[in-house]
Amino acid sequence: MRIAFDALPLLGRKTGIGCCEAGQVTALARLYPEHDFVLNYFAMKDLKKHKQEISYYLTKNMTAKHAFCSAYGYRILSSFLPVNYDWFFGKNNSLTHFFNYIVPYGVSGKTVVTVHDMVYKAFPETVRSRTRHMLDLGLVKSMQRADRIVTDSEFSKSEIIKYYAEFEDKIRVVPCGVDGKKFYPVENKNFIKAVCQKYGIMQDYFLYLGTIEPRKNLERLIQAYALFVKSHENPAKLVLAGGKGWLYDNIFKKVTELNLEKYVIFTQYLEENDLCAVMSGALAFVFPSIYEGFGMPPLEAMACGTPVFTSGVASLPEVTGTNAVIVNPENIDSMAKGLHALFIDKNLRENLKIQGLARAKLFSWERSAKLLYQVYQEILPEVNA
């Protein structure tokens, strides 16, 4: 069997979509050495860099195929004209899996598409106009072309059915995983201290890690944190780590409006080698998002042994279960009480650490890959031969 993957999400700084693809494709190649896997990618600029990024995933049964064309240009052109994908990547693939919502025109063999969530329908104001336009143009066609639609959670499945009920029979749930070699508890306190100092973190702190954007509910978190600060003489800092996303200005303004400049630390991206140390050093990981198709950051925090504070909405309860402080993301008082409880109650933090570590072990990329392989088996009879 020859199974191809659209590798674009693996290039550059990986978002959650890229991390999901990386976890699943590497586990598939390891678990099923009898098959040939190939990473397809378009690239014109930074070709040397992209080849190096792709090389990380290559093994005896995982190769790469490059098409000298702009990925963005191809996507725009193929939205309006029937430009066959297989003109670039051939007709030898039994199946091609696209991890980022869109199945292009003219793909040979079977196709699978991952539709991670329906945020562009549920909260369109939080999504870039370019992304909304792309999905308006291409999502329905993609789901029509796909032999199966994969999504990350039961919540996301229900959301797809809510907006596109005609595709219900095609949808399969494949939860994401967490890499225990990448996310683990760091016990060396001196190392944690040294890493934190690089980012200006000098005392106890709550940590948010993710994109700085409205969907993550950071304005309300900052308002709740302001209430928390008023209640404590020496409050823990609030560290907001992540790159600027869409409509982030009001988040920074809210810190200034509430006179929290000396309490809130924006670090931008954390270096990959520093993630576990900064995560492990936090009093708690705070993730009050109003909408997630899965929510990998809370799971990664649990794998690091960090207590989690998160929303009781969307897919997040599927990820954390009852092993977190669950708050109402639309209620600032609820969020402030959650921060207060985690700050004052050491036993609560210790219990959540133990429970979170056990919960994280239920979500592995191996389990995710096996479930995905079952989806492939449904549409590839020869896999079962």
Side-chain angles (χ1 to χ4, degrees):
M1 295 303 305
R2 183 178 168 91
I3 298 172
F5 306 113
D6 168 35
L8 183 61
L10 301 178
L11 302 178
R13 183 174 287 279
K14 289 198 293 291
T15 63
I17 292 173
C19 291
C20 176
E21 178 172 359
Q24 289 177 342
V25 303
T26 52
L28 280 166
R30 185 170 60 251
L31 290 170
Y32 304 102
E34 68 273 21
H35 299 306
D36 292 324
F37 299 94
V38 59
L39 297 170
N40 291 338
Y41 68 105
F42 293 98
M44 289 180 70
K45 295 181 179 179
D46 301 321
L47 182 55
K48 184 177 179 181
K49 176 187 173 187
H50 292 330
K51 283 185 176 180
Q52 186 174 3
E53 290 169 337
I54 289 293
S55 69
Y56 173 81
Y57 302 97
L58 304 184
T59 61
K60 288 183 179 180
N61 65 329
M62 178 84 79
T63 58
K65 188 172 179 61
H66 162 245
F68 191 75
C69 175
S70 162
Y72 179 67
Y74 171 77
R75 177 170 286 180
I76 293 298
L77 183 62
S78 62
S79 296
F80 299 98
L81 296 173
V83 182
N84 283 34
Y85 183 83
D86 62 20
W87 291 350
F88 297 91
F89 297 108
K91 299 182 179 182
N92 297 326
N93 300 316
S94 305
L95 177 150
T96 305
H97 187 159
F98 297 88
F99 288 84
N100 196 9
Y101 295 84
I102 298 299
V103 177
Y105 177 83
V107 182
S108 295
K110 301 293 187 179
T111 57
V112 173
V113 65
T114 299
V115 176
H116 296 275
D117 59 44
M118 283 282 108
V119 68
Y120 103 101
K121 285 287 191 183
F123 295 95
E125 69 279 7
T126 69
V127 178
R128 292 178 187 272
S129 58
R130 187 175 77 182
T131 302
R132 291 201 309 271
H133 183 62
M134 178 195 73
L135 292 172
D136 282 336
L137 281 175
L139 184 57
V140 170
K141 290 178 182 177
S142 291
M143 292 193 287
Q144 288 171 342
R145 291 169 183 155
D147 294 286
R148 289 293 184 273
I149 299 163
V150 168
T151 195
D152 304 331
S153 63
E154 292 293 340
F155 167 76
S156 285
K157 178 180 177 179
S158 69
E159 286 286 276
I160 298 170
I161 295 169
K162 175 181 174 182
Y163 295 104
Y164 301 105
E166 66 269 30
F167 300 115
E168 180 174 1
D169 291 344
K170 289 186 178 183
I171 303 170
R172 302 292 183 270
V173 175
V174 178
C176 298
V178 63
D179 185 347
K181 294 181 180 178
K182 183 178 179 182
F183 294 97
Y184 56 87
V186 176
E187 305 292 348
N188 187 326
K189 296 188 183 301
N190 289 331
F191 178 68
I192 292 173
K193 182 178 179 181
V195 171
C196 286
Q197 286 177 346
K198 285 173 54 177
Y199 298 98
I201 307 168
M202 304 295 181
Q203 63 186 76
D204 288 343
Y205 60 96
F206 298 114
L207 174 68
Y208 163 83
L209 179 63
T211 309
I212 308 298
E213 63 181 1
R215 177 161 58 109
K216 305 304 182 180
N217 204 27
L218 297 181
E219 285 190 58
R220 286 199 189 99
L221 174 63
I222 291 165
Q223 290 175 281
Y225 178 71
L227 295 179
F228 164 79
V229 166
K230 289 178 182 178
S231 303
H232 299 278
E233 186 175 336
N234 187 27
K237 297 291 180 82
L238 175 62
V239 176
L240 301 178
K244 296 175 181 177
W246 172 245
L247 299 175
Y248 58 81
D249 285 339
N250 287 340
I251 295 166
F252 288 85
K253 286 179 183 177
K254 186 62 67 177
V255 172
T256 305
E257 287 173 8
L258 297 173
N259 299 311
L260 294 173
E261 294 95 329
K262 70 177 182 178
Y263 297 107
V264 179
I265 301 169
F266 290 95
T267 69
Q268 291 291 312
Y269 289 108
L270 301 181
E271 293 180 26
E272 192 163 315
N273 292 336
D274 296 337
L275 285 174
C276 284
V278 177
M279 198 88 83
S280 297
L283 285 178
F285 181 78
V286 292
F287 198 77
S289 179
I290 56 175
Y291 194 98
E292 295 291 328
F294 183 76
M296 289 174 67
L299 187 60
E300 292 165 352
M302 287 179 160
C304 290
T306 306
V308 169
F309 157 118
T310 195
S311 307
V313 298
S315 65
L316 292 164
E318 285 183 58
V319 176
T320 64
T322 59
N323 308 293
V325 169
I326 305 296
V327 300
N328 180 345
E330 297 183 356
N331 187 305
I332 293 167
D333 287 334
S334 171
M335 294 167 69
K337 288 176 182 176
L339 294 173
H340 174 76
L342 285 161
F343 183 64
I344 66 167
D345 194 338
K346 185 177 180 180
N347 287 334
L348 172 63
R349 297 198 302 270
E350 285 299 315
N351 288 335
L352 290 178
K353 175 178 180 177
I354 295 167
Q355 293 168 15
L357 284 167
R359 180 72 177 178
K361 289 179 180 177
L362 300 178
F363 294 87
S364 69
W365 287 118
E366 286 72 17
R367 173 177 177 265
S368 183
K370 288 176 181 178
L371 290 171
L372 185 55
Y373 188 71
Q374 290 175 15
V375 177
Y376 296 169
Q377 286 179 308
E378 290 183 19
I379 56 177
L380 289 175
E382 52 268 58
V383 169
N384 300 302

